[in-house]
Amino acid sequence: FCLLQVSVYQVLEKDKPDTPEGKKLLAARLVSLQTSGWEVFAITPAVRDWTEDESSNQGLLVTVQGLGGSPLDPPPLQFASGRDHHESKKPMLVLFTDDGRRGASLPTGGFPGGSHILPAKMPVPKLARSRSKRSLDRLQPCQRHPLSVDFEEIGWSGWIISPRGYNAFHCKGSCPFPLGENMRPTNHATVQSIINALKLSEGVSSPCCVPDKLYSINLLYFDDDENVVLKQYDDMVAGSCGCH
C-alpha cells in the first residue's frame, strides 16, 4: 500500500522556488497509488495575495515525495496531459469570483500537464463569499451515521425470527463544490458539481450524499409455508457514503 505526499506551494521567488524562502506551503496530502480520482487542494491564500498584488503571482509549485520526505525523480504521480488522457482528466484551477451581477461565477484555467511549476498568470478578480456559500460551510460534509432498525417497529417481526433489529446506517450531509477525494465522488458527480456551481444549466442540483457501498446481513425467518429459513439479504447495510 504505497503512500506519497503531494504538496502544493505558492511560489514567492520564481528564480529559486526550491528554497525555503522561495515558496510557501498551501496544502499537503497523502495520496495512495492504489486509488484513482480527483484530488482537491485549496489555494485561497495564494489567490488572495495575487488579488492584492498582481505582480506577486509567480505561479504554483507541486511536489511529490515519499513518506520519508525524499523527492521522487521521476515522480510516480503526475498531471494527466491533454495529449495522453481524456479532456475530463486534465487538472484545473477554479476561482470563486463575483462581478456583482449574478453572484458567484467561476472562471477556470487549465494546468499544463507534466509541469511542476504551474503558471497562473491570469487576471484574478476580487474574491467574494456569497451568503449561500457561508450557509453551506455550516453544513456537515457527506458521511455515514448510525440508523437503528427495529423489525417490530416497522412491522416485520411477524416473519423475521432473528435478529430483532440491526444497524443499517444512513448517509447524510452536503456535497459542496469542489468535491474532494474524501467525498468519494463518481466522475459523473464531479461533472454535475461543476455544472451546478457554474450555473450552466437550470434545474441541475448538486450531487447527493448516498450509500456507495452496501453490505448484506443474514436473516432467520418464516417463509410462506411456515418453514424456518436462513437467508442472506443483500444491500441491507450502508457500508460507506459518497457524493453521487
Side-chain angles (χ1 to χ4, degrees):
F1 194 74
C2 184
L3 292 176
L4 302 175
Q5 178 171 307
V6 180
S7 304
V8 181
Y9 296 88
Q10 176 184 355
V11 177
L12 303 178
E13 298 186 37
K14 195 171 184 178
D15 295 335
K16 44 183 179 179
D18 292 327
T19 62
E21 64 273 10
K23 61 186 177 182
K24 180 173 70 175
L25 181 64
L26 298 173
R29 183 175 304 129
L30 292 179
V31 177
S32 170
L33 286 179
Q34 296 181 345
T35 61
S36 62
W38 286 83
E39 289 292 335
V40 179
F41 295 89
I43 60 168
T44 302
V47 178
R48 284 178 177 154
D49 289 346
W50 300 339
T51 303
E52 296 173 359
D53 181 8
E54 187 176 343
S55 64
S56 68
N57 184 353
Q58 301 296 317
L60 301 173
L61 172 68
V62 176
T63 64
V64 180
Q65 298 175 311
L67 292 181
S70 57
L72 302 176
D73 189 21
L77 194 68
Q78 297 179 333
F79 290 116
S81 65
R83 183 179 65 248
D84 301 325
H85 299 84
H86 189 270
E87 185 74 17
S88 65
K89 293 186 178 181
K90 289 179 62 178
M92 68 178 68
L93 173 64
V94 179
L95 302 178
F96 290 84
T97 66
D98 187 356
D99 62 5
R101 292 180 300 174
R102 54 170 293 184
S105 59
L106 307 172
T108 62
F111 284 170
S115 174
H116 287 282
I117 297 182
L118 306 179
K121 293 292 187 178
M122 61 188 76
V124 182
K126 287 187 177 181
L127 297 177
R129 289 173 58 84
S130 66
R131 182 178 302 174
S132 61
K133 180 65 169 64
R134 289 194 297 268
S135 300
L136 192 62
D137 288 343
R138 291 195 291 267
L139 298 177
Q140 292 294 320
C142 177
Q143 55 188 303
R144 191 176 73 151
H145 297 269
L147 175 60
S148 179
V149 176
D150 188 316
F151 288 133
E152 183 175 359
E153 290 180 348
I154 66 174
W156 288 10
S157 60
W159 62 280
I160 294 180
I161 303 172
S162 180
R164 294 184 177 181
Y166 75 108
N167 191 350
F169 293 98
H170 72 113
C171 299
K172 182 175 67 174
S174 64
C175 294
F177 178 86
L179 295 178
E181 184 65 22
N182 62 316
M183 297 290 180
R184 304 170 65 92
T186 60
N187 289 334
H188 181 273
T190 299
V191 173
Q192 180 175 330
S193 177
I194 295 173
I195 296 296
N196 170 262
L198 292 172
K199 297 179 174 63
L200 296 179
S201 181
E202 292 185 6
V204 176
S205 62
S206 61
C208 298
C209 179
V210 297
D212 63 358
K213 186 178 293 184
L214 293 164
Y215 297 130
S216 61
I217 64 171
N218 292 322
L219 293 180
L220 188 67
Y221 66 96
F222 293 109
D223 65 10
D224 294 338
D225 297 322
E226 298 298 320
N227 298 312
V228 177
V229 179
L230 177 63
K231 180 179 177 180
Q232 177 177 291
Y233 274 79
D234 296 331
D235 303 337
M236 294 287 284
V237 178
S240 61
C241 301
C243 293
H244 290 204

